[in-house]
Coordinates of all heavy atoms in Angstrom, one line a residue:
M846 N -47.4 -36.8 -27.7 CA -46.2 -36.8 -26.9 C -45.0 -36.3 -27.7 O -44.2 -35.5 -27.2 CB -46.0 -38.1 -26.3 CG -44.9 -38.1 -25.3 SD -45.5 -37.2 -23.9 CE -44.2 -37.4 -22.7
K847 N -44.9 -36.8 -29.0 CA -43.8 -36.4 -29.8 C -43.9 -34.9 -30.1 O -42.9 -34.2 -30.2 CB -43.8 -37.2 -31.1 CG -43.1 -38.5 -31.0 CD -43.0 -39.1 -32.4 CE -42.2 -40.3 -32.4 NZ -42.0 -40.8 -33.8
R848 N -45.1 -34.4 -30.3 CA -45.3 -33.0 -30.6 C -44.9 -32.1 -29.5 O -44.3 -31.1 -29.7 CB -46.8 -32.8 -31.0 CG -47.1 -31.4 -31.4 CD -48.5 -31.2 -31.9 NE -48.9 -29.9 -32.1 CZ -48.9 -29.2 -33.2 NH1 -48.7 -29.9 -34.3 NH2 -49.2 -28.0 -33.3
V849 N -45.3 -32.5 -28.3 CA -44.9 -31.8 -27.1 C -43.4 -31.7 -26.9 O -42.8 -30.7 -26.6 CB -45.6 -32.3 -25.8 CG1 -45.0 -31.7 -24.6 CG2 -47.1 -32.2 -25.9
F850 N -42.7 -32.9 -27.1 CA -41.3 -33.0 -27.0 C -40.6 -32.1 -28.1 O -39.7 -31.4 -27.9 CB -40.8 -34.4 -27.2 CG -39.3 -34.6 -27.1 CD1 -38.7 -34.5 -25.9 CD2 -38.6 -34.8 -28.2 CE1 -37.3 -34.6 -25.8 CE2 -37.2 -34.9 -28.2 CZ -36.6 -34.8 -27.0
S851 N -41.2 -32.1 -29.3 CA -40.6 -31.3 -30.4 C -40.8 -29.9 -30.1 O -39.9 -29.1 -30.4 CB -41.3 -31.7 -31.7 OG -40.9 -30.9 -32.7
L852 N -41.9 -29.5 -29.6 CA -42.2 -28.1 -29.2 C -41.2 -27.6 -28.1 O -40.6 -26.5 -28.2 CB -43.6 -27.9 -28.8 CG -44.1 -26.5 -28.5 CD1 -43.9 -25.6 -29.8 CD2 -45.5 -26.5 -28.0
F853 N -41.0 -28.5 -27.1 CA -40.1 -28.2 -26.0 C -38.7 -28.0 -26.5 O -37.9 -27.1 -26.1 CB -40.2 -29.3 -24.9 CG -39.3 -29.1 -23.8 CD1 -39.5 -28.1 -22.8 CD2 -38.1 -29.8 -23.7 CE1 -38.6 -27.9 -21.8 CE2 -37.3 -29.6 -22.6 CZ -37.5 -28.7 -21.7
L854 N -38.3 -28.9 -27.4 CA -36.9 -28.9 -27.9 C -36.7 -27.6 -28.8 O -35.7 -27.0 -28.6 CB -36.7 -30.2 -28.8 CG -35.3 -30.3 -29.4 CD1 -34.2 -30.4 -28.3 CD2 -35.2 -31.5 -30.3
S855 N -37.6 -27.3 -29.6 CA -37.5 -26.0 -30.4 C -37.4 -24.8 -29.5 O -36.7 -23.8 -29.7 CB -38.6 -25.9 -31.4 OG -39.8 -25.8 -30.8
F856 N -38.2 -24.8 -28.4 CA -38.2 -23.7 -27.4 C -36.9 -23.6 -26.8 O -36.3 -22.5 -26.7 CB -39.3 -23.9 -26.4 CG -39.3 -22.9 -25.3 CD1 -39.7 -21.6 -25.5 CD2 -38.8 -23.2 -24.1 CE1 -39.7 -20.7 -24.5 CE2 -38.7 -22.3 -23.0 CZ -39.2 -21.0 -23.3
C857 N -36.3 -24.7 -26.4 CA -35.0 -24.7 -25.7 C -33.9 -24.2 -26.7 O -33.0 -23.4 -26.3 CB -34.6 -26.1 -25.2 SG -35.6 -26.6 -23.8
L858 N -33.9 -24.7 -27.9 CA -32.9 -24.2 -28.9 C -33.1 -22.7 -29.2 O -32.1 -22.0 -29.3 CB -33.1 -25.1 -30.2 CG -32.7 -26.5 -30.1 CD1 -33.0 -27.2 -31.4 CD2 -31.2 -26.7 -29.7
T859 N -34.3 -22.2 -29.3 CA -34.5 -20.8 -29.5 C -34.0 -20.0 -28.3 O -33.3 -19.0 -28.5 CB -36.0 -20.5 -29.8 OG1 -36.4 -21.3 -30.9 CG2 -36.2 -19.1 -30.1
L860 N -34.3 -20.5 -27.2 CA -33.9 -19.8 -26.0 C -32.3 -19.7 -25.9 O -31.7 -18.7 -25.6 CB -34.5 -20.4 -24.7 CG -34.1 -19.8 -23.4 CD1 -34.7 -18.3 -23.3 CD2 -34.7 -20.6 -22.2
N861 N -31.7 -20.9 -26.2 CA -30.3 -20.9 -26.1 C -29.6 -20.0 -27.1 O -28.6 -19.4 -26.9 CB -29.8 -22.4 -26.3 CG -28.3 -22.6 -26.1 OD1 -27.7 -21.8 -25.4 ND2 -27.7 -23.6 -26.7
A862 N -30.2 -19.9 -28.3 CA -29.7 -19.0 -29.4 C -29.8 -17.6 -28.9 O -28.9 -16.8 -29.2 CB -30.4 -19.3 -30.7
C863 N -30.9 -17.2 -28.3 CA -31.1 -15.8 -27.8 C -30.1 -15.5 -26.7 O -29.5 -14.4 -26.7 CB -32.5 -15.6 -27.4 SG -33.7 -15.7 -28.7
V864 N -29.9 -16.4 -25.8 CA -29.0 -16.2 -24.7 C -27.5 -16.0 -25.2 O -26.8 -15.2 -24.8 CB -29.1 -17.3 -23.6 CG1 -28.0 -17.1 -22.6 CG2 -30.5 -17.2 -23.0
S865 N -27.1 -16.9 -26.1 CA -25.7 -16.9 -26.5 C -25.4 -15.8 -27.4 O -24.3 -15.3 -27.6 CB -25.4 -18.3 -27.2 OG -26.2 -18.4 -28.4
S866 N -26.4 -15.2 -28.1 CA -26.2 -14.1 -29.0 C -25.9 -12.8 -28.3 O -25.3 -11.9 -28.9 CB -27.3 -13.9 -30.0 OG -28.5 -13.5 -29.4
N867 N -26.4 -12.7 -27.0 CA -26.2 -11.4 -26.3 C -24.9 -11.4 -25.5 O -24.5 -10.3 -25.0 CB -27.3 -11.3 -25.3 CG -28.6 -10.9 -25.9 OD1 -28.6 -10.4 -27.0 ND2 -29.7 -11.3 -25.3
K868 N -24.1 -12.5 -25.5 CA -22.8 -12.4 -24.8 C -21.8 -11.6 -25.6 O -21.7 -11.7 -26.8 CB -22.3 -13.9 -24.7 CG -23.1 -14.7 -23.7 CD -22.5 -16.1 -23.6 CE -23.3 -16.9 -22.6 NZ -22.8 -18.3 -22.5
K869 N -21.2 -10.7 -24.9 CA -20.2 -9.9 -25.5 C -18.8 -10.5 -25.3 O -18.4 -10.9 -24.3 CB -20.2 -8.5 -24.8 CG -21.4 -7.7 -25.1 CD -21.4 -6.3 -24.5 CE -22.7 -5.6 -24.8 NZ -22.7 -4.3 -24.2
V870 N -18.1 -10.5 -26.4 CA -16.7 -11.1 -26.4 C -15.8 -9.9 -26.1 O -15.9 -8.9 -26.7 CB -16.4 -11.7 -27.8 CG1 -15.0 -12.2 -27.8 CG2 -17.4 -12.7 -28.2
P871 N -15.0 -10.1 -25.1 CA -14.1 -9.0 -24.7 C -13.1 -8.7 -25.8 O -12.5 -9.6 -26.4 CB -13.4 -9.5 -23.4 CG -13.5 -10.9 -23.4 CD -14.8 -11.2 -24.2
T872 N -12.9 -7.4 -26.1 CA -12.0 -7.0 -27.2 C -10.9 -6.2 -26.5 O -11.1 -5.5 -25.5 CB -12.7 -6.2 -28.2 OG1 -13.3 -5.0 -27.6 CG2 -13.8 -7.0 -28.9
N873 N -9.8 -6.3 -27.2 CA -8.6 -5.5 -26.7 C -8.4 -4.3 -27.6 O -7.5 -4.3 -28.4 CB -7.4 -6.4 -26.6 CG -6.3 -5.8 -25.8 OD1 -6.5 -4.7 -25.3 ND2 -5.2 -6.5 -25.7
D874 N -9.4 -3.4 -27.6 CA -9.3 -2.2 -28.5 C -8.3 -1.2 -28.0 O -7.8 -0.4 -28.8 CB -10.7 -1.5 -28.5 CG -11.7 -2.4 -29.3 OD1 -11.2 -3.2 -30.1 OD2 -12.9 -2.1 -29.1
I875 N -7.9 -1.2 -26.7 CA -7.0 -0.2 -26.2 C -5.6 -0.6 -26.5 O -5.1 -1.6 -25.9 CB -7.2 0.0 -24.7 CG1 -8.6 0.5 -24.4 CG2 -6.2 1.0 -24.2 CD1 -9.0 0.6 -23.0
K876 N -4.9 0.0 -27.4 CA -3.6 -0.3 -27.8 C -2.6 0.2 -26.7 O -1.8 -0.5 -26.3 CB -3.2 0.3 -29.2 CG -4.2 -0.1 -30.3 CD -3.8 -1.4 -30.9 CE -4.6 -1.6 -32.1 NZ -5.9 -2.2 -32.0
N877 N -2.7 1.5 -26.4 CA -1.9 2.1 -25.4 C -2.8 2.6 -24.3 O -3.5 3.6 -24.4 CB -1.1 3.3 -25.9 CG -0.1 2.8 -27.0 OD1 0.5 1.8 -26.9 ND2 0.0 3.6 -28.0
P878 N -2.8 1.9 -23.1 CA -3.7 2.4 -22.0 C -3.2 3.8 -21.5 O -2.1 4.1 -21.6 CB -3.6 1.3 -21.0 CG -2.3 0.7 -21.2 CD -2.0 0.8 -22.7
P879 N -4.2 4.6 -21.0 CA -3.8 5.9 -20.5 C -2.9 5.7 -19.3 O -3.0 4.7 -18.6 CB -5.1 6.6 -20.2 CG -6.1 5.4 -20.0 CD -5.6 4.3 -20.9
P880 N -2.1 6.7 -19.0 CA -1.3 6.7 -17.7 C -2.2 6.7 -16.5 O -3.3 7.3 -16.6 CB -0.4 7.9 -17.8 CG -1.1 8.8 -18.8 CD -1.9 8.0 -19.7
S881 N -1.8 6.2 -15.4 CA -2.6 6.2 -14.2 C -2.5 7.6 -13.5 O -1.6 8.4 -13.9 CB -2.1 5.1 -13.2 OG -0.7 5.4 -12.9
L882 N -3.4 7.8 -12.6 CA -3.4 9.1 -11.9 C -2.7 8.9 -10.5 O -2.8 7.9 -9.8 CB -4.9 9.5 -11.6 CG -5.7 9.9 -12.8 CD1 -7.1 10.1 -12.4 CD2 -5.1 11.2 -13.3
L883 N -1.9 9.9 -10.2 CA -1.2 9.9 -8.9 C -2.1 10.5 -7.9 O -2.9 11.3 -8.2 CB 0.1 10.7 -9.1 CG 1.1 10.2 -10.1 CD1 2.3 11.1 -10.2 CD2 1.6 8.8 -9.7
K884 N -1.9 10.1 -6.6 CA -2.7 10.6 -5.5 C -2.4 12.1 -5.2 O -1.2 12.5 -5.4 CB -2.4 9.8 -4.3 CG -3.0 8.4 -4.3 CD -2.8 7.7 -3.0 CE -3.4 6.3 -3.0 NZ -3.2 5.6 -1.8
P885 N -3.4 12.9 -4.9 CA -3.1 14.2 -4.5 C -2.4 14.3 -3.1 O -2.5 13.4 -2.3 CB -4.5 14.9 -4.4 CG -5.4 13.7 -4.1 CD -4.8 12.5 -4.8
V886 N -1.7 15.4 -2.9 CA -1.0 15.6 -1.6 C -2.0 16.4 -0.7 O -2.3 17.5 -1.1 CB 0.3 16.3 -1.7 CG1 1.0 16.5 -0.4 CG2 1.2 15.4 -2.6
V887 N -2.4 15.9 0.4 CA -3.4 16.5 1.3 C -2.8 16.7 2.6 O -2.2 15.8 3.2 CB -4.7 15.7 1.4 CG1 -5.7 16.4 2.3 CG2 -5.3 15.5 0.0
Q888 N -2.9 17.9 3.2 CA -2.4 18.2 4.5 C -3.6 18.3 5.5 O -4.6 18.9 5.2 CB -1.7 19.6 4.5 CG -1.0 19.9 5.8 CD -0.3 21.2 5.8 OE1 -0.4 22.0 4.8 NE2 0.6 21.5 6.8
K889 N -3.4 17.6 6.6 CA -4.5 17.5 7.6 C -4.0 18.4 8.8 O -3.0 18.2 9.4 CB -4.7 16.1 8.1 CG -5.7 15.9 9.1 CD -5.8 14.4 9.5 CE -6.7 14.1 10.6 NZ -6.8 12.7 11.0
I890 N -4.8 19.5 9.1 CA -4.4 20.5 10.1 C -5.5 20.5 11.2 O -6.7 20.6 10.9 CB -4.3 21.9 9.4 CG1 -3.3 21.9 8.3 CG2 -3.9 22.9 10.5 CD1 -3.4 23.1 7.4
W891 N -5.0 20.4 12.4 CA -6.0 20.5 13.6 C -6.2 21.9 14.0 O -5.2 22.7 14.2 CB -5.4 19.7 14.8 CG -6.2 19.9 16.0 CD1 -5.9 20.6 17.1 CD2 -7.5 19.4 16.3 NE1 -6.8 20.6 18.0 CE2 -7.9 19.9 17.6 CE3 -8.5 18.7 15.5 CZ2 -9.1 19.6 18.1 CZ3 -9.7 18.4 16.1 CH2 -10.0 18.8 17.4
I892 N -7.4 22.3 14.0 CA -7.8 23.7 14.4 C -8.3 23.5 15.8 O -9.4 22.9 16.0 CB -8.9 24.3 13.5 CG1 -8.4 24.3 12.0 CG2 -9.2 25.7 13.9 CD1 -7.2 25.1 11.7
P893 N -7.7 24.1 16.9 CA -8.1 23.9 18.2 C -9.4 24.7 18.5 O -9.8 25.6 17.7 CB -7.0 24.5 19.1 CG -6.3 25.4 18.2 CD -6.5 24.9 16.8
P894 N -10.1 24.3 19.6 CA -11.4 25.0 19.9 C -11.1 26.5 20.2 O -10.1 26.9 20.8 CB -11.9 24.3 21.1 CG -10.9 23.4 21.6 CD -9.8 23.3 20.5
V895 N -12.1 27.4 19.9 CA -11.9 28.8 20.1 C -13.1 29.4 20.7 O -14.2 29.1 20.3 CB -11.6 29.5 18.7 CG1 -11.5 31.0 18.9 CG2 -10.4 28.9 18.0
I896 N -12.9 30.3 21.7 CA -14.0 31.1 22.3 C -14.0 32.4 21.6 O -13.0 33.1 21.7 CB -13.9 31.2 23.8 CG1 -13.9 29.8 24.4 CG2 -14.9 32.1 24.4 CD1 -13.6 29.7 25.9
K897 N -15.1 32.8 21.0 CA -15.2 34.1 20.3 C -16.2 35.0 20.9 O -17.1 34.6 21.7 CB -15.6 33.8 18.8 CG -14.6 33.0 18.0 CD -15.1 32.8 16.6 CE -14.2 31.9 15.8 NZ -14.7 31.7 14.4
N898 N -16.2 36.2 20.5 CA -17.2 37.2 20.8 C -17.4 37.4 22.3 O -18.5 37.4 22.8 CB -18.5 36.9 20.1 CG -19.4 38.1 19.9 OD1 -19.1 39.2 20.2 ND2 -20.7 37.8 19.5
G899 N -16.3 37.5 23.0 CA -16.3 37.8 24.4 C -17.0 36.6 25.2 O -17.5 36.8 26.3
G900 N -16.9 35.4 24.7 CA -17.4 34.3 25.4 C -18.8 33.9 25.0 O -19.4 32.9 25.5
A901 N -19.4 34.6 24.1 CA -20.8 34.3 23.6 C -20.8 33.2 22.6 O -21.8 32.5 22.4 CB -21.4 35.6 23.0
E902 N -19.7 33.0 21.9 CA -19.6 31.9 20.9 C -18.4 31.0 21.2 O -17.4 31.4 21.6 CB -19.4 32.5 19.5 CG -20.5 33.4 19.0 CD -20.2 34.0 17.7 OE1 -19.2 33.7 17.0 OE2 -21.0 34.9 17.2
W903 N -18.7 29.7 20.9 CA -17.6 28.7 21.1 C -17.6 27.9 19.8 O -18.6 27.3 19.4 CB -17.9 27.8 22.3 CG -16.8 26.8 22.5 CD1 -15.5 27.0 22.8 CD2 -17.0 25.4 22.4 NE1 -14.9 25.8 22.9 CE2 -15.8 24.8 22.6 CE3 -18.1 24.6 22.0 CZ2 -15.6 23.4 22.6 CZ3 -17.9 23.2 22.0 CH2 -16.6 22.6 22.3
E904 N -16.4 27.8 19.2 CA -16.2 27.0 18.0 C -15.4 25.7 18.4 O -14.3 25.8 18.9 CB -15.5 27.8 16.9 CG -15.3 27.1 15.6 CD -14.6 27.9 14.6 OE1 -14.9 29.1 14.5 OE2 -13.7 27.4 13.9
E905 N -16.0 24.6 18.1 CA -15.4 23.3 18.5 C -14.2 23.1 17.7 O -14.1 23.5 16.5 CB -16.4 22.2 18.3 CG -16.0 20.9 18.9 CD -17.0 19.8 18.8 OE1 -18.2 20.2 18.5 OE2 -16.7 18.7 19.1
G906 N -13.2 22.4 18.2 CA -12.0 22.0 17.5 C -12.3 21.1 16.3 O -13.2 20.2 16.5
H907 N -11.6 21.2 15.2 CA -11.9 20.4 14.1 C -10.7 20.3 13.2 O -9.7 21.0 13.4 CB -13.1 21.0 13.3 CG -12.8 22.4 12.8 ND1 -13.0 23.5 13.6 CD2 -12.4 22.9 11.6 CE1 -12.7 24.6 13.0 NE2 -12.3 24.2 11.8
Y908 N -10.8 19.4 12.2 CA -9.7 19.2 11.3 C -10.0 20.0 10.0 O -11.1 20.1 9.6 CB -9.5 17.8 10.9 CG -8.7 17.0 11.9 CD1 -9.4 16.1 12.7 CD2 -7.3 17.1 12.0 CE1 -8.7 15.3 13.7 CE2 -6.6 16.4 13.0 CZ -7.3 15.5 13.8 OH -6.6 14.8 14.7
L909 N -8.9 20.6 9.4 CA -9.0 21.3 8.2 C -8.1 20.5 7.2 O -7.0 20.2 7.5 CB -8.5 22.7 8.3 CG -8.4 23.5 7.0 CD1 -9.7 23.9 6.5 CD2 -7.5 24.8 7.2
F910 N -8.7 20.1 6.0 CA -7.9 19.4 5.0 C -7.6 20.4 3.9 O -8.5 20.9 3.3 CB -8.8 18.2 4.5 CG -9.0 17.2 5.6 CD1 -10.1 17.2 6.4 CD2 -8.1 16.2 5.8 CE1 -10.3 16.3 7.4 CE2 -8.3 15.2 6.8 CZ -9.4 15.3 7.6
R911 N -6.3 20.5 3.6 CA -5.9 21.4 2.6 C -5.2 20.6 1.5 O -4.3 19.8 1.7 CB -4.9 22.5 3.1 CG -4.4 23.4 2.1 CD -3.5 24.5 2.7 NE -4.3 25.3 3.5 CZ -3.8 26.0 4.6 NH1 -2.6 25.8 5.0 NH2 -4.6 26.7 5.3
I912 N -5.6 20.8 0.2 CA -5.0 20.2 -0.9 C -3.7 21.0 -1.3 O -3.8 22.1 -1.7 CB -5.9 20.1 -2.1 CG1 -7.2 19.3 -1.8 CG2 -5.2 19.5 -3.3 CD1 -8.2 19.2 -2.8
E913 N -2.6 20.3 -1.1 CA -1.3 21.0 -1.4 C -0.9 20.8 -2.8 O -0.4 21.7 -3.5 CB -0.2 20.4 -0.5 CG -0.4 20.6 1.0 CD -0.3 22.1 1.4 OE1 0.6 22.8 0.8 OE2 -1.0 22.6 2.3
K914 N -1.1 19.6 -3.4 CA -0.8 19.3 -4.8 C -1.9 18.4 -5.3 O -2.2 17.4 -4.8 CB 0.5 18.6 -4.8 CG 1.0 18.3 -6.2 CD 2.4 17.6 -6.2 CE 2.8 17.4 -7.7 NZ 4.1 16.6 -7.7
E915 N -2.5 18.9 -6.4 CA -3.6 18.2 -7.0 C -3.1 16.9 -7.7 O -2.0 16.7 -7.9 CB -4.4 19.1 -8.0 CG -5.1 20.2 -7.4 CD -5.9 21.0 -8.4 OE1 -5.9 20.7 -9.5 OE2 -6.4 22.1 -8.0
T916 N -4.1 16.0 -8.1 CA -3.7 14.8 -8.7 C -3.2 15.1 -10.1 O -3.5 16.1 -10.8 CB -5.0 13.9 -8.9 OG1 -4.6 12.7 -9.4 CG2 -6.0 14.5 -9.7
T917 N -2.2 14.3 -10.5 CA -1.5 14.5 -11.8 C -1.4 13.1 -12.5 O -1.6 12.1 -11.9 CB -0.1 15.0 -11.7 OG1 0.6 14.2 -10.8 CG2 -0.2 16.4 -11.1
W918 N -1.2 13.1 -13.8 CA -1.0 11.9 -14.6 C 0.5 11.4 -14.3 O 1.4 12.2 -14.2 CB -1.1 12.2 -16.1 CG -2.5 12.6 -16.5 CD1 -3.0 13.8 -16.8 CD2 -3.6 11.7 -16.7 NE1 -4.3 13.8 -17.1 CE2 -4.7 12.5 -17.0 CE3 -3.8 10.3 -16.5 CZ2 -6.0 11.9 -17.3 CZ3 -5.0 9.8 -16.8 CH2 -6.1 10.6 -17.2
S919 N 0.6 10.1 -14.3 CA 2.0 9.5 -14.2 C 2.5 9.5 -15.6 O 1.8 9.6 -16.6 CB 1.9 8.1 -13.6 OG 1.2 7.3 -14.5
R920 N 3.8 9.4 -15.7 CA 4.5 9.3 -17.0 C 4.9 7.9 -17.4 O 5.0 7.1 -16.7 CB 5.7 10.2 -17.0 CG 5.2 11.6 -16.8 CD 6.4 12.5 -16.8 NE 5.9 13.8 -16.4 CZ 6.3 15.0 -17.0 NH1 7.1 15.0 -17.9 NH2 5.8 16.1 -16.5

């Protein structure tokens, strides 16, 4: 019985050592964080439905999204 208990105890200690050695300690390596990104300016344009080619084609109304100003870094 002592041998089983001793074996169990050594197994638990080994398992605990393996689990605790894999934990990563957070480090604060970033001295100056990079600036954040600003949102882009996007224009939403409604394109109405259109009948084309003498009535043979019909294009359904839809939205067109146009990027007016791309994303930039903040200062």
Side-chain angles (χ1 to χ4, degrees):
M846 186 68 174
K847 277 187 170 182
R848 182 175 170 102
V849 173
F850 179 75
S851 175
L852 185 61
F853 177 75
L854 183 61
S855 65
F856 174 75
C857 289
L858 291 175
T859 305
L860 182 64
N861 188 23
C863 291
V864 170
S865 63
S866 67
N867 289 337
K868 291 183 181 176
K869 294 183 179 179
V870 177
T872 59
N873 194 3
D874 290 340
I875 301 174
K876 306 274 190 277
N877 296 323
S881 60
L882 289 171
L883 299 175
K884 291 184 177 181
V886 177
V887 179
Q888 185 179 12
K889 181 179 175 181
I890 304 168
W891 172 251
I892 307 296
V895 178
I896 298 174
K897 297 179 180 180
N898 199 9
E902 296 177 9
W903 179 68
E904 184 177 318
E905 188 173 351
H907 58 279
Y908 282 104
L909 172 73
F910 295 91
R911 179 178 291 148
I912 299 174
E913 297 292 325
K914 185 178 177 186
E915 293 183 4
T916 185
T917 57
W918 295 101
S919 67
R920 294 180 191 224

